[in-house]
Amino acid sequence: AQSVAQPEDQVNVAEGNPLTVKCTYSVSGNPYLFWYVQYPNRGLQFLLKYITGDNLVKGSYGFEAEFNKSQTSFHLKKPSALVSDSALYFCAVRAPHTSGTYKYIFGTGTRLKVLA
Amino acid sequence: DGGITQSPKYLFRKEGQNVTLSCEQNLNHDAMYWYRQDPGQGLRLIYYSQIVNDFQKGDIAEGYSVSREKKESFPLTVTSAQKNPTAFYLCASSRRASGEQETQYFGPGTRLLVL
């Protein structure tokens, strides 16, 4: 079955420290992976995506993600966390659906809390 | 959230009532989607539409209906058959539904509450 797992419900990190939010996936064929961020009572904002090429993908707000094919992981990272990074983060994978279309499969989300 | 609007921000439903959530986009995207978000469950796909006058069921379509009469609009009706409608509803769009590399962009959401 195609799926996305975010093993941590919450991640706490001190401001200025590096952060990692974990994501692993299971999908047939080439994986197309995405990270989104959600602030309270708001929609999801696109951060970055991996399609092909360099395994380290850079995105918005200083975030980056590392694709690891052997470990089927796509962890989100940032070298120095800000209090304003506190939010809910979703990993998603694009998978074949029906009639040549694709759908997103989302993880359950990881709440990041950056402590001042 | 730019380019996709959802209204209302909050919606209250009485038992047995149908309610309609609005989603409009000015991005000239062909594909539009509706998701339901519940705490601890991530996002689940309700319906999606690739082009005007066409739509497909997602994973949890029961109790919901949609229409796609215009490219920019994809309203979602929560019918009385949906017994547990309380959730945060998110609309999204992408240039196409058939492209592997397409990114979805989301609206700000509508929170539906049952009275």
Short mmCIF file of all heavy atoms in Angstrom, two decimals, chain A residues 68-101:
data_model
loop_
_atom_site.label_atom_id
_atom_site.label_comp_id
_atom_site.label_asym_id
_atom_site.label_seq_id
_atom_site.Cartn_x
_atom_site.Cartn_y
_atom_site.Cartn_z
N ASN A 68 16.39 10.34 0.56
CA ASN A 68 17.25 9.18 0.70
C ASN A 68 16.50 7.97 0.17
O ASN A 68 15.59 7.45 0.83
CB ASN A 68 17.64 8.98 2.17
CG ASN A 68 18.68 7.88 2.35
OD1 ASN A 68 18.56 6.80 1.75
ND2 ASN A 68 19.69 8.13 3.15
N LYS A 69 16.88 7.53 -1.02
CA LYS A 69 16.13 6.46 -1.67
C LYS A 69 16.25 5.13 -0.93
O LYS A 69 15.27 4.40 -0.79
CB LYS A 69 16.61 6.30 -3.12
CG LYS A 69 15.75 5.36 -3.95
CD LYS A 69 16.17 5.36 -5.40
CE LYS A 69 15.25 4.47 -6.21
NZ LYS A 69 15.60 4.48 -7.66
N SER A 70 17.44 4.81 -0.45
CA SER A 70 17.63 3.53 0.21
C SER A 70 16.85 3.43 1.52
O SER A 70 16.39 2.36 1.90
CB SER A 70 19.12 3.29 0.47
OG SER A 70 19.64 4.28 1.35
N GLN A 71 16.69 4.55 2.19
CA GLN A 71 15.94 4.56 3.45
C GLN A 71 14.49 5.01 3.24
O GLN A 71 13.74 5.12 4.22
CB GLN A 71 16.64 5.47 4.47
CG GLN A 71 18.02 4.99 4.87
CD GLN A 71 18.64 5.83 5.97
OE1 GLN A 71 18.01 6.72 6.52
NE2 GLN A 71 19.90 5.54 6.28
N THR A 72 14.13 5.27 2.02
CA THR A 72 12.78 5.77 1.66
C THR A 72 12.36 6.89 2.61
O THR A 72 11.27 6.87 3.20
CB THR A 72 11.71 4.66 1.64
OG1 THR A 72 11.60 4.07 2.94
CG2 THR A 72 12.05 3.60 0.62
N SER A 73 13.24 7.87 2.75
CA SER A 73 12.96 8.98 3.66
C SER A 73 13.10 10.32 2.95
O SER A 73 13.77 10.43 1.91
CB SER A 73 13.90 8.93 4.86
OG SER A 73 15.24 9.19 4.46
N PHE A 74 12.46 11.30 3.51
CA PHE A 74 12.48 12.68 2.96
C PHE A 74 12.34 13.62 4.15
O PHE A 74 11.33 14.28 4.34
CB PHE A 74 11.35 12.85 1.95
CG PHE A 74 11.42 14.14 1.17
CD1 PHE A 74 12.55 14.49 0.46
CD2 PHE A 74 10.31 14.99 1.12
CE1 PHE A 74 12.59 15.67 -0.28
CE2 PHE A 74 10.35 16.18 0.39
CZ PHE A 74 11.49 16.51 -0.32
N HIS A 75 13.38 13.70 4.95
CA HIS A 75 13.35 14.49 6.18
C HIS A 75 13.50 15.98 5.91
O HIS A 75 14.34 16.39 5.11
CB HIS A 75 14.45 14.04 7.14
CG HIS A 75 14.35 12.60 7.54
ND1 HIS A 75 13.17 11.90 7.58
CD2 HIS A 75 15.32 11.72 7.92
CE1 HIS A 75 13.39 10.67 7.98
NE2 HIS A 75 14.69 10.51 8.19
N LEU A 76 12.72 16.77 6.61
CA LEU A 76 12.77 18.23 6.50
C LEU A 76 13.78 18.77 7.51
O LEU A 76 13.78 18.34 8.67
CB LEU A 76 11.39 18.81 6.77
CG LEU A 76 11.23 20.32 6.66
CD1 LEU A 76 11.34 20.77 5.20
CD2 LEU A 76 9.88 20.76 7.24
N LYS A 77 14.57 19.74 7.09
CA LYS A 77 15.62 20.26 7.96
C LYS A 77 15.72 21.77 7.85
O LYS A 77 15.32 22.36 6.84
CB LYS A 77 16.97 19.63 7.61
CG LYS A 77 17.00 18.12 7.73
CD LYS A 77 18.36 17.55 7.42
CE LYS A 77 18.34 16.03 7.57
NZ LYS A 77 19.66 15.42 7.38
N LYS A 78 16.28 22.35 8.92
CA LYS A 78 16.61 23.76 8.89
C LYS A 78 17.80 23.96 9.82
O LYS A 78 17.80 23.45 10.94
CB LYS A 78 15.43 24.61 9.34
CG LYS A 78 15.65 26.10 9.14
CD LYS A 78 14.41 26.91 9.44
CE LYS A 78 14.67 28.39 9.17
NZ LYS A 78 13.48 29.24 9.47
N PRO A 79 18.82 24.67 9.38
CA PRO A 79 20.05 24.78 10.19
C PRO A 79 19.85 25.51 11.51
O PRO A 79 20.50 25.20 12.50
CB PRO A 79 21.00 25.55 9.27
CG PRO A 79 20.47 25.36 7.89
CD PRO A 79 18.98 25.25 8.05
N SER A 80 18.95 26.51 11.52
CA SER A 80 18.77 27.33 12.72
C SER A 80 17.29 27.68 12.86
O SER A 80 16.75 28.44 12.08
CB SER A 80 19.62 28.60 12.61
OG SER A 80 19.43 29.43 13.74
N ALA A 81 16.65 27.11 13.87
CA ALA A 81 15.20 27.27 14.02
C ALA A 81 14.83 28.64 14.58
O ALA A 81 15.56 29.22 15.40
CB ALA A 81 14.66 26.17 14.94
N LEU A 82 13.67 29.11 14.13
CA LEU A 82 13.10 30.37 14.64
C LEU A 82 11.80 30.06 15.37
O LEU A 82 11.09 29.11 15.01
CB LEU A 82 12.80 31.32 13.47
CG LEU A 82 13.98 31.75 12.61
CD1 LEU A 82 13.47 32.53 11.40
CD2 LEU A 82 14.97 32.57 13.42
N VAL A 83 11.46 30.90 16.33
CA VAL A 83 10.18 30.72 17.04
C VAL A 83 9.03 30.74 16.05
O VAL A 83 8.05 30.00 16.17
CB VAL A 83 10.00 31.80 18.12
CG1 VAL A 83 8.61 31.73 18.71
CG2 VAL A 83 11.05 31.62 19.23
N SER A 84 9.15 31.56 15.02
CA SER A 84 8.09 31.69 14.02
C SER A 84 7.95 30.44 13.14
O SER A 84 6.99 30.33 12.37
CB SER A 84 8.35 32.90 13.12
OG SER A 84 9.61 32.81 12.50
N ASP A 85 8.88 29.49 13.25
CA ASP A 85 8.75 28.22 12.52
C ASP A 85 7.77 27.28 13.20
O ASP A 85 7.41 26.24 12.64
CB ASP A 85 10.11 27.52 12.41
CG ASP A 85 11.09 28.26 11.53
OD1 ASP A 85 10.65 28.95 10.59
OD2 ASP A 85 12.31 28.16 11.80
N SER A 86 7.34 27.60 14.40
CA SER A 86 6.40 26.76 15.13
C SER A 86 5.10 26.63 14.33
O SER A 86 4.43 27.64 14.06
CB SER A 86 6.12 27.34 16.51
OG SER A 86 7.30 27.41 17.28
N ALA A 87 4.76 25.41 13.97
CA ALA A 87 3.60 25.17 13.11
C ALA A 87 3.43 23.66 12.96
O ALA A 87 4.18 22.87 13.54
CB ALA A 87 3.78 25.83 11.75
N LEU A 88 2.46 23.28 12.14
CA LEU A 88 2.20 21.88 11.82
C LEU A 88 2.76 21.59 10.43
O LEU A 88 2.46 22.32 9.48
CB LEU A 88 0.69 21.62 11.86
CG LEU A 88 0.19 20.19 11.71
CD1 LEU A 88 0.75 19.28 12.80
CD2 LEU A 88 -1.34 20.18 11.77
N TYR A 89 3.56 20.55 10.31
CA TYR A 89 4.23 20.24 9.06
C TYR A 89 3.73 18.91 8.50
O TYR A 89 3.62 17.92 9.22
CB TYR A 89 5.75 20.18 9.27
CG TYR A 89 6.33 21.55 9.54
CD1 TYR A 89 6.26 22.11 10.81
CD2 TYR A 89 6.90 22.29 8.52
CE1 TYR A 89 6.76 23.39 11.06
CE2 TYR A 89 7.41 23.56 8.76
CZ TYR A 89 7.33 24.11 10.02
OH TYR A 89 7.82 25.37 10.26
N PHE A 90 3.43 18.94 7.20
CA PHE A 90 2.93 17.74 6.53
C PHE A 90 3.87 17.34 5.41
O PHE A 90 4.28 18.17 4.59
CB PHE A 90 1.55 18.01 5.91
CG PHE A 90 0.44 18.11 6.91
CD1 PHE A 90 0.00 19.34 7.35
CD2 PHE A 90 -0.17 16.96 7.39
CE1 PHE A 90 -1.03 19.44 8.26
CE2 PHE A 90 -1.21 17.05 8.31
CZ PHE A 90 -1.64 18.29 8.75
N CYS A 91 4.16 16.05 5.38
CA CYS A 91 4.85 15.43 4.27
C CYS A 91 3.80 14.79 3.36
O CYS A 91 2.78 14.28 3.85
CB CYS A 91 5.82 14.38 4.81
SG CYS A 91 6.80 13.50 3.59
N ALA A 92 4.02 14.81 2.07
CA ALA A 92 3.07 14.21 1.13
C ALA A 92 3.82 13.56 -0.02
O ALA A 92 4.91 14.00 -0.40
CB ALA A 92 2.09 15.27 0.59
N VAL A 93 3.23 12.53 -0.56
CA VAL A 93 3.79 11.87 -1.74
C VAL A 93 2.71 11.80 -2.80
O VAL A 93 1.52 11.64 -2.50
CB VAL A 93 4.30 10.45 -1.40
CG1 VAL A 93 3.17 9.52 -0.98
CG2 VAL A 93 5.06 9.87 -2.57
N ARG A 94 3.11 11.99 -4.03
CA ARG A 94 2.17 11.94 -5.14
C ARG A 94 2.17 10.52 -5.70
O ARG A 94 3.23 9.99 -6.02
CB ARG A 94 2.59 12.96 -6.20
CG ARG A 94 1.52 13.33 -7.17
CD ARG A 94 1.84 14.69 -7.75
NE ARG A 94 1.05 15.04 -8.90
CZ ARG A 94 -0.18 15.51 -8.86
NH1 ARG A 94 -0.77 15.68 -7.71
NH2 ARG A 94 -0.82 15.82 -9.96
N ALA A 95 0.98 9.95 -5.78
CA ALA A 95 0.88 8.55 -6.18
C ALA A 95 -0.17 8.40 -7.26
O ALA A 95 -1.12 9.19 -7.32
CB ALA A 95 0.50 7.70 -4.96
N PRO A 96 -0.03 7.39 -8.14
CA PRO A 96 -1.04 7.16 -9.17
C PRO A 96 -2.41 6.90 -8.55
O PRO A 96 -2.52 6.19 -7.54
CB PRO A 96 -0.53 5.91 -9.89
CG PRO A 96 0.93 5.89 -9.61
CD PRO A 96 1.08 6.45 -8.24
N HIS A 97 -3.44 7.49 -9.18
CA HIS A 97 -4.80 7.28 -8.68
C HIS A 97 -5.61 6.53 -9.74
O HIS A 97 -5.47 5.33 -9.89
CB HIS A 97 -5.42 8.63 -8.32
CG HIS A 97 -6.74 8.52 -7.61
ND1 HIS A 97 -6.96 7.61 -6.60
CD2 HIS A 97 -7.89 9.18 -7.78
CE1 HIS A 97 -8.21 7.74 -6.18
NE2 HIS A 97 -8.79 8.68 -6.86
N THR A 98 -6.41 7.21 -10.48
CA THR A 98 -7.23 6.56 -11.51
C THR A 98 -7.15 7.36 -12.80
O THR A 98 -6.86 8.56 -12.77
CB THR A 98 -8.70 6.47 -11.08
OG1 THR A 98 -9.19 7.80 -10.87
CG2 THR A 98 -8.86 5.65 -9.83
N SER A 99 -7.43 6.72 -13.89
CA SER A 99 -7.55 7.39 -15.19
C SER A 99 -6.37 8.28 -15.51
O SER A 99 -6.54 9.38 -16.05
CB SER A 99 -8.85 8.22 -15.25
OG SER A 99 -9.96 7.44 -14.95
N GLY A 100 -5.19 7.84 -15.15
CA GLY A 100 -4.00 8.62 -15.46
C GLY A 100 -3.78 9.82 -14.58
O GLY A 100 -2.92 10.65 -14.87
N THR A 101 -4.57 9.94 -13.54
CA THR A 101 -4.38 11.06 -12.63
C THR A 101 -3.56 10.63 -11.41
O THR A 101 -3.29 9.44 -11.21
CB THR A 101 -5.73 11.61 -12.13
OG1 THR A 101 -6.38 10.60 -11.34
CG2 THR A 101 -6.62 12.00 -13.29
#
